[in-house]
Amino acid sequence: MTLETHVRVERPDLTVDVALSVDPGEVVAVMGPNGAGKSTLLAGIAGVGPLTRGFVRLGGTSLADVEGHTDLPAHERKIGIVFQQHRLFPHLSVLGNVAFGLRARGVSRSEAQVAATRWLERVGVADRAHVRPDQLSGGEAQRVALARTLVVEPEALLLDEPFAAADPSARSSLRSVLSEVLAESPRPTVVVTQDLVDAASLAARVVIVERGRVTHDSSLADIAMHPRTRWAAELVGVNLLRGQGHADVIDLADGGRIVAVEAPAGRCFVAIHPTAVALYPERPDGTPRNVWPLRIEALEPLGSRVRVALGGEIELVAEVTPAAITALGLREGRQVWAAVKATEITTYPA
């Protein structure tokens, strides 16, 4: 069944206004900066936060509709939610935690325990069934929280930063478990995450929410090719500039200009991958069409590469090897020349 929702929540500091439709079996990752309204969106869908306006429908059934005066309580919505913090009952065993939802629905103790054990086996913590939550690691607790949510067979699933409380070493296996569970499920699923790896491994579609509004709704690959906000560009690791295009020239909004192979007429975006930004200690020979004297603002190690933040006529981030840092004598405060080939520049209408 399809999850359809339009959540509008008006707060003194922010108005969240997000429409979202998730098909059966589809997994949508919701991303965005802190305070953008992502958790508010989930709360509105789940029924643990009030709507100012809007609706929530699941399989055509209205769960909430402000104008229609419908507002089912959370426990009647058949929507499972896993929070950032696992919120397990401290006085119950792991098995008791997972069986709790079924017992609350009137299922017999033995039947509930059989179902709970099956899910604990599924998420890989059956050997912890008889311990209390305070004896679990962060990753184990999150697996238990997932099992507790799924054992009652919700018709839709919401996950709010599901790996945030887990140790970094446990996140990979948690992703694997969750990916397998979601792949076999016909339910619509929404995953709120700040982690690009989570989004890439779990979801085919990414919705980016900024300042309470949707700024992107596409595949991660498409967002990487055509980011439309600075936050999205930083997320996928590309430089994003705005300007006015004509022929093969873009006059940048903040000053300066860039030459591309072709530029759309009128307002446009310019995307440049950091690896396309070449750095030189002196002005490069020849007549490169895009070359600027810039100042190194910061150096940031990133795996096997180093990201170099540059300021001056335009702001860019370059990505080079540690060997290049040494060979070029790059350091904060130094002036360098940055060059980008016209063929390495992507432009598209704003």
Side-chain angles (χ1 to χ4, degrees):
M1 55 183 61
T2 299
L3 174 65
E4 300 172 283
T5 182
H6 181 186
V7 170
R8 183 177 176 90
V9 178
E10 297 174 4
R11 307 193 317 236
D13 60 326
L14 178 71
T15 294
V16 177
D17 194 342
V18 175
L20 188 64
S21 179
V22 187
D23 291 333
E26 184 181 22
V27 181
V28 174
V30 175
M31 308 188 76
N34 291 331
K38 306 182 297 298
S39 294
T40 299
L41 169 65
L42 289 199
I45 296 172
V48 295
L51 302 183
T52 306
R53 278 190 283 170
F55 62 85
V56 180
R57 292 193 290 263
L58 184 57
T61 300
S62 179
L63 307 183
D65 188 331
V66 175
E67 292 187 359
H69 304 289
T70 301
D71 188 15
L72 291 183
H75 67 274
E76 293 184 13
R77 294 196 180 194
K78 296 183 179 180
I79 295 177
I81 182 165
V82 178
F83 296 96
Q84 295 181 35
Q85 302 300 324
H86 46 75
R87 300 188 183 183
L88 300 177
F89 301 121
H91 63 289
L92 295 179
S93 68
V94 163
L95 184 63
N97 266 277
V98 178
F100 179 85
L102 292 175
R103 293 287 291 142
R105 295 183 179 188
V107 176
S108 69
R109 181 183 301 275
S110 60
E111 189 178 347
Q113 289 185 345
V114 167
T117 299
R118 185 166 58 246
W119 269 105
L120 288 173
E121 290 171 348
R122 183 69 188 280
V123 301
V125 286
D127 61 329
R128 309 294 280 161
H130 300 293
V131 305
R132 296 291 178 91
D134 61 2
Q135 296 176 268
L136 301 174
S137 69
E140 289 172 337
Q142 205 64 359
R143 288 172 187 251
V144 174
L146 180 62
R148 184 179 63 177
T149 299
L150 294 175
V151 73
V152 296
E153 300 182 354
E155 294 176 352
L157 183 62
L158 309 177
L159 302 148
D160 190 3
E161 298 276 7
F163 310 133
D167 298 330
S169 60
R171 290 179 186 172
S172 179
S173 59
L174 275 169
R175 285 191 199 100
S176 180
V177 168
L178 184 56
S179 182
E180 289 178 6
V181 170
L182 296 180
E184 298 174 3
S185 169
R187 64 175 62 89
T189 300
V190 179
V191 183
V192 165
T193 181
Q194 294 276 40
D195 193 313
L196 197 60
V197 177
D198 292 348
S201 60
L202 298 175
R205 176 176 154 213
V206 174
V207 172
I208 295 179
V209 176
E210 301 179 62
R211 297 179 182 176
R213 302 292 192 277
V214 173
T215 59
H216 298 73
D217 185 347
S218 187
S219 68
L220 198 54
D222 183 65
I223 294 172
M225 288 293 295
H226 305 99
R228 306 188 70 83
T229 65
R230 182 179 292 272
W231 191 90
E234 291 176 352
L235 173 72
V236 296
V238 302
N239 294 287
L240 182 67
L241 305 167
R242 296 171 182 261
Q244 193 81 10
H246 46 90
D248 61 350
V249 175
I250 303 99
D251 291 317
L252 299 177
D254 296 329
R257 63 172 39 190
I258 286 181
V259 178
V261 173
E262 185 178 359
R267 295 175 58 197
C268 64
F269 289 108
V270 178
I272 304 171
H273 196 279
T275 57
V277 182
L279 301 180
Y280 303 89
E282 305 291 340
R283 184 182 179 95
D285 295 333
T287 55
R289 303 182 74 184
N290 294 304
V291 59
W292 309 273
L294 301 177
R295 182 182 60 260
I296 297 176
E297 303 286 357
L299 300 172
E300 179 187 359
L302 185 69
S304 61
R305 312 279 292 183
V306 178
R307 291 175 70 85
V308 184
L310 303 161
E313 182 180 349
I314 66 172
E315 292 185 359
L316 289 174
V317 173
E319 199 171 291
V320 300
T321 64
I325 296 290
T326 302
L328 297 174
L330 304 183
R331 61 183 182 278
E332 292 184 8
R334 178 173 179 177
Q335 180 171 299
V336 294
W337 290 84
V340 181
K341 296 178 181 178
T343 54
E344 297 281 358
I345 294 171
T346 301
T347 62
Y348 44 98

